[in-house]
Amino acid sequence: MGEVIVITSGKGGVGKTTTTANIGTALAKLNHKVVLVDTDIGLRNLDVVLGLENRIVYDIVDVVKGNCRLNQALIKDKRLEGLCLLPAAQTKDKNAISIEEIKKLTNELSEIFDYVIVDCPAGIEQGFKNAIAGADRAIVVATPEVSSVRDADRIIGLLEANEIKETRLIINRLRPQMVKQGDMMDIDDILDILSIKLIGVIPEDEFIIVSTNRGEPAVNNPESMAGKAYLNTARRITGEEDVPFLDLEVVESFMDKILKIFKK
Amino acid sequence: MGFFDFFSKNKKNTGSKNIAKDRLKLVLVHDRASMSPEVMEALRKELIQVISKYVDVDSNNIEVELNDNNNQATLVANIPINQIKRSRNV
């Protein structure tokens, strides 16, 4: 029986879809069977980030409504054997699926795959409630900005209220140089405010834009700092302990701090 | 000191991350202090139940409010008492 993990944030544009694509790809690289589920109905994007947009025939709504079999809607990744995508519908709205339907779907998927990674839409309305309905665990993505951390706090509260048993944080788009200058909140600041455990820190990386342009997740490029950080995050998700942290080089003492946080 | 030095020095002194952190903390006190009406209603009902064991309260006029003053959230309950029950202990 696989695990269902929802990737959420509250605020839009902090990197949920990029994170879903990269973590999914990284888990598949680690030889797990992974399905990525895009629940952002009406604003489908995970397909383009993965470069699979031309292969879509059926979508999540078709599966739930019985217009096709689950197998017909699952799209196999170009590069990785164990990676599949279940795309969102583009022409329908977020009420097209009910909480019961998504629970049944994620449950079915977890019988086939080791990891079911659910990409959640922004906001806290029906789309969010649907996305978290079948989740065993949640990963909250936040950037080191006031608005993002505030929304993350709200989301963490809602996840607790919905009895998601384990919620972890990914701090995305961190700029070590700005942290050093005192112009960006550091990891300690954010963990202190949110009182939640960290599972990954992703540095700001221009390569993410290049990889999205190409439709190839950054994890596939050994040169990408963000890609490496996502790979490490995926290893932590699988339960691997003492995964080393990237030396972001720019600020060494800063990385030492991260190590300390994880050793606590 | 050059023109740009002045700016960079000035920037260092403020350290905008501390401003961000302080503002966040303040905003979250307010955000977290709000409770859903369902939770407030459940709290009100249970409060009445517990207090009714000891005193006869006017359950129709009970007010329960969540306030946040000076960054400290407080629960304020105004419970009119009809009659204090006779003590059962000697």
Side-chain angles (χ1 to χ4, degrees):
Chain A
M1 192 74 179
E3 254 191 309
V4 183
I5 305 175
V6 62
I7 312 271
T8 180
S9 71
K11 189 178 179 299
V14 298
K16 279 182 299 297
T17 301
T18 306
T19 298
T20 306
N22 278 287
I23 288 202
T25 306
L27 286 169
K29 271 178 167 303
L30 297 169
N31 295 319
H32 295 288
K33 282 187 79 181
V34 184
V35 62
L36 304 181
V37 182
D38 190 351
T39 62
D40 201 348
I41 296 165
L43 294 167
R44 147 169 110 198
N45 269 327
L46 189 53
D47 54 337
V48 284
V49 174
L50 289 161
L52 299 173
E53 67 273 20
N54 293 329
R55 305 184 179 197
I56 297 175
V57 182
Y58 296 108
D59 57 51
I60 187 168
V61 177
D62 291 323
V63 174
V64 162
K65 301 298 174 198
N67 298 338
C68 69
R69 281 177 288 110
L70 180 57
N71 265 340
Q72 290 176 293
L74 291 175
I75 299 161
K76 285 203 163 68
D77 186 63
K78 297 178 217 169
R79 293 158 291 262
L80 287 157
E81 184 84 8
L83 185 63
C84 280
L85 168 71
L86 181 57
Q90 180 68 340
T91 51
K92 303 178 179 84
D93 70 58
K94 295 197 165 68
N95 301 316
I97 296 185
S98 74
I99 286 179
E100 288 313 314
E101 285 168 332
I102 199 111
K103 271 188 183 169
K104 186 168 167 276
L105 175 69
T106 49
N107 196 45
E108 235 173 273
L109 287 168
S110 70
E111 280 167 15
I112 309 167
F113 295 92
D114 301 328
Y115 292 98
V116 180
I117 313 285
V118 181
D119 187 17
C120 178
I124 53 173
E125 296 83 17
Q126 193 57 44
F128 166 76
K129 289 175 188 161
N130 281 345
I132 67 166
D136 302 309
R137 298 203 248 168
I139 292 177
V140 176
V141 182
T143 58
E145 291 163 277
V146 178
S147 49
S148 172
V149 176
R150 181 195 197 176
D151 289 3
D153 187 78
R154 183 102 167 82
I155 287 294
I156 292 164
L158 292 171
L159 291 168
E160 274 172 14
N162 282 277
E163 286 162 3
I164 303 282
K165 66 183 178 201
E166 191 188 291
T167 301
R168 295 284 180 269
L169 181 72
I170 287 181
I171 298 174
N172 196 18
R173 309 191 66 174
L174 192 89
R175 299 181 184 212
Q177 192 59 46
M178 285 193 78
V179 170
K180 193 183 172 193
Q181 286 167 1
D183 274 326
M184 182 174 267
M185 284 186 281
D186 63 29
I187 293 163
D188 273 339
D189 293 332
I190 297 167
L191 295 184
D192 179 33
I193 286 167
L194 294 178
S195 326
I196 183 179
K197 282 187 184 159
L198 188 67
I199 200 158
V201 178
I202 317 297
E204 174 85 38
D205 183 356
E206 286 184 359
F207 186 76
I208 289 291
I209 294 168
V210 177
S211 82
T212 308
N213 287 345
R214 292 180 181 154
E216 296 167 3
V219 173
N220 288 323
N221 185 324
E223 300 297 309
S224 162
M225 288 296 269
K228 283 182 202 168
Y230 274 126
L231 198 57
N232 285 350
T233 306
R235 287 165 66 189
R236 285 181 210 109
I237 288 171
T238 64
E240 200 176 319
E241 285 171 18
D242 301 323
V243 178
F245 270 80
L246 289 179
D247 183 5
L248 297 180
E249 279 181 5
V250 194
V251 195
E252 240 184 70
S253 63
F254 163 74
M255 290 311 294
D256 291 341
K257 259 177 148 179
I258 301 179
L259 287 173
K260 263 187 226 157
I261 291 163
F262 273 86
K263 279 177 183 164
K264 265 179 198 169
Chain B
M1 187 175 21
F3 181 72
F4 288 104
D5 293 340
F6 169 77
F7 269 92
S8 63
K9 194 183 172 197
N10 197 27
K11 206 175 158 191
K12 244 177 211 169
N13 287 344
T14 42
S16 67
K17 83 144 188 183
N18 291 324
I19 302 172
K21 210 180 164 184
D22 290 345
R23 290 178 60 222
L24 245 176
K25 281 183 174 168
L26 203 61
V27 145
L28 290 183
V29 167
H30 288 260
D31 285 359
R32 288 174 183 170
S34 58
M35 258 192 217
S36 73
E38 295 83 36
V39 175
M40 284 301 277
E41 186 52 30
L43 174 67
R44 206 178 75 94
K45 278 187 179 156
E46 276 189 57
L47 267 178
I48 297 173
Q49 266 180 24
V50 172
I51 295 168
S52 303
K53 278 164 59 180
Y54 304 93
V55 289
D56 181 12
V57 297
D58 179 2
S59 55
N60 293 323
N61 288 310
I62 290 178
E63 286 169 24
V64 182
E65 277 179 358
L66 198 62
N67 294 335
D68 54 292
N69 304 316
N70 307 320
N71 306 333
Q72 172 69 58
T74 52
L75 192 65
V76 179
N78 190 354
I79 306 168
I81 296 171
N82 287 335
Q83 200 179 7
I84 295 180
K85 288 184 181 171
R86 211 168 271 122
S87 171
R88 290 175 197 172
N89 303 322
V90 181

